Amino acid sequence: MLTPRDARKLQIHQTIVVPGRSSGPELYTHQGDEECIIVLEGTLTIRTGSREYVLDAGDALLVDPQIGHGFANHGSRDAIVLWVITPAGQDM
């Protein structure tokens, strides 16, 4: 986690998703109002509801964290990703 634990309105996680890794076959939800997924390096596929998005470095996607979503790295290199969630204090 990049934000201090006492942050009240914003939470930022940086994650490295290695090739072949995913959040699993089931879509997940969590508390929060908004979630912005920003790909810094590599490629990440995001599923939300029945839609699928392929994000490359520099791409961002805003999702509702209370709607089922998931991710996978189908690429050949690590994906470095920022997950920005509001409000803070919610587990991801």
Side-chain angles (χ1 to χ4, degrees):
M1 179 149 34
L2 297 178
T3 48
R5 291 208 178 274
D6 60 348
R8 297 185 331 250
K9 296 187 180 194
L10 181 69
Q11 187 175 72
I12 303 172
H13 298 263
Q14 181 175 335
T15 306
I16 297 173
V17 183
V18 299
R21 297 298 295 218
S22 73
S23 57
E26 300 295 323
L27 299 180
Y28 65 92
T29 63
H30 54 88
Q31 294 299 311
D33 294 331
E34 290 184 318
E35 178 176 357
C36 184
I37 304 161
I38 305 162
V39 177
L40 301 177
E41 293 182 24
T43 300
L44 194 69
T45 300
I46 305 293
R47 290 186 305 140
T48 180
S50 62
R51 300 197 65 182
E52 187 170 281
Y53 304 89
V54 178
L55 305 181
D56 293 313
D59 290 341
L61 180 68
L62 187 65
V63 300
D64 181 339
Q66 296 180 35
I67 294 176
H69 58 290
F71 62 88
N73 182 348
H74 299 300
S76 60
R77 56 187 284 224
D78 291 353
I80 300 177
V81 184
L82 291 180
W83 311 85
V84 182
I85 304 163
T86 62
Q90 310 301 322
D91 290 330
M92 186 175 131

